Amino acid sequence: MSEVSDLAGRPSGRLTLKDIADRAGVSKSTVSLVLRGSPLVRSETRERIRAMIAELGYVYNRGAASLRSQRTHTIGLVVNDVTNSFYAEFTAALDAFVERDGWVTLFGNSAESPERQQKIIDRMREQGVEGIILCPARGTSPDLIEALRAGGLPCVQSTRHVTGREADYVGQDNVLGMEMATEHLIRLGHRCIAFIGGAPWNSSAVDRENGYRNALLRHGLAFDPALVFRCETRQEAAARAIAAALAASPQPTAAVCMNDLVAFGALRGLSDQGLRPGVDFAVVGFDNRRDTAFWRPSLSTVSISPEAVAVAAASLLLRRIADPNGGSEWVILPPERLVVRESCGAPLMAGEERRTA
């Protein structure tokens, strides 16, 4: 149906948010944020929308808005990579946990895009979420966390963080976990160990690299930056990284990997080079995905619990919703254990995996 306009080209009848959004070239949720005085909209966009509101003579219905602002018992969850099985388990556990207390979860996948992440958050705000758990996308600015705080929306970062301890965060102890993996390889006799995967913008990768470095130094082994091979968390990228590691001098005899997906790529890359993982070269992953035991060779890895991280993040968010002015909290969960399987070359008993604390 075509829009009916007056002689000045303005829509006749009752103006809607869509009328404003169409004329200003923005989304309805962006117009709504401006009307509610949100700081999340850029100043130039905010001024353009306000000018359009004045031109069209739109009157904000605050009575209806107050109805929408009533408690919704809804929270938002934004993850950076829904294809990662860690986040599938994380999401399921979080949703089940909050549902027991009558809360509903709105879910969004940023796919590592800050722009998409912002759109998801805007839409969640439009739907009246009372708080957000954010697994930040690559390139997320700390300004986003501050803007959410200034706008009165509680936010708990999880698995990654882009701010310091002035903001709420829940994650696993990446430093300790990677120390466990590296020290295991050292106990097996390896003295030249590579670190595969991760990037300097990823707080989890930085922490895990620090754990690798700590373990080396604790055992009197020099940290060599040339043995750090950063790559995307994709199997094909990890296969290329392990090939580069094998061409390095000195050549490593083992590798700790940023996560299990990187470790899977490393196993494939070793096979492509004619080497036998667990025999000619040792590999340890991180996460203990459900499929790690079914690879050949089966993957040695640090076991963490996505369910425990999810429950801790949800618990903190609900506390923050109840007490918005409470002091910020950092919750760091220890790894469950190091699971020793075939890929590291350690002797196993009767073909069974061995778990170490």
Side-chain angles (χ1 to χ4, degrees), residues 83-249:
T83 65
N84 186 326
S85 66
F86 175 93
Y87 288 112
E89 297 176 42
F90 180 95
T91 300
L94 185 145
D95 189 52
F97 177 77
V98 300
E99 185 182 26
R100 291 199 294 267
D101 289 330
W103 290 78
V104 173
T105 307
L106 296 184
F107 174 79
N109 173 43
S110 70
E112 297 288 16
S113 166
E115 294 76 21
R116 178 179 172 86
Q117 177 177 264
Q118 184 66 66
K119 290 178 182 177
I120 292 169
I121 291 173
D122 290 347
R123 182 60 56 86
M124 286 179 171
R125 289 183 66 102
E126 181 70 15
Q127 296 299 318
V129 298
E130 297 188 43
I132 287 179
I133 294 174
L134 177 66
C135 304
R138 175 192 314 175
T140 297
S141 170
D143 293 343
L144 171 62
I145 310 302
E146 174 57 26
L148 292 172
R149 186 202 63 77
L153 185 67
C155 175
V156 172
Q157 300 170 87
S158 190
T159 69
R160 298 176 181 173
H161 56 84
V162 296
T163 59
R165 291 181 177 267
E166 68 276 8
D168 292 319
Y169 170 72
V170 174
Q172 59 275 349
D173 193 333
N174 292 303
V175 175
L176 176 59
M178 195 54 78
E179 287 179 353
M180 291 165 58
T182 307
E183 288 189 342
H184 174 68
L185 292 174
I186 294 171
R187 288 195 298 270
L188 291 177
H190 297 280
R191 294 296 178 267
C192 189
I193 302 169
F195 180 91
I196 308 292
W201 52 261
N202 183 333
S203 64
S204 294
V206 171
D207 289 344
R208 292 177 191 183
E209 184 178 327
N210 285 338
Y212 157 76
R213 182 198 302 247
N214 292 348
L216 293 177
L217 297 180
R218 186 179 301 119
H219 288 270
L221 301 175
F223 168 74
D224 185 351
L227 291 177
V228 175
F229 299 88
R230 297 190 175 94
C231 66
E232 295 289 336
T233 53
R234 294 180 289 108
Q235 292 188 42
E236 56 270 29
R240 292 192 295 270
I242 200 71
L246 293 172
S249 180

Side-chain angles (χ1 to χ4, degrees), residues 49-103:
I49 292 171
R50 285 175 175 169
M52 188 59 62
I53 289 170
E55 177 184 337
L56 296 177
Y58 180 80
V59 178
Y60 186 35
N61 187 338
R62 294 193 179 275
S66 66
L67 290 175
R68 291 194 299 270
S69 68
Q70 292 178 356
R71 296 293 301 273
T72 63
H73 280 82
T74 303
I75 64 169
L77 170 61
V78 187
V79 305
N80 52 280
D81 182 9
V82 73
T83 65
N84 186 326
S85 66
F86 175 93
Y87 288 112
E89 297 176 42
F90 180 95
T91 300
L94 185 145
D95 189 52
F97 177 77
V98 300
E99 185 182 26
R100 291 199 294 267
D101 289 330
W103 290 78

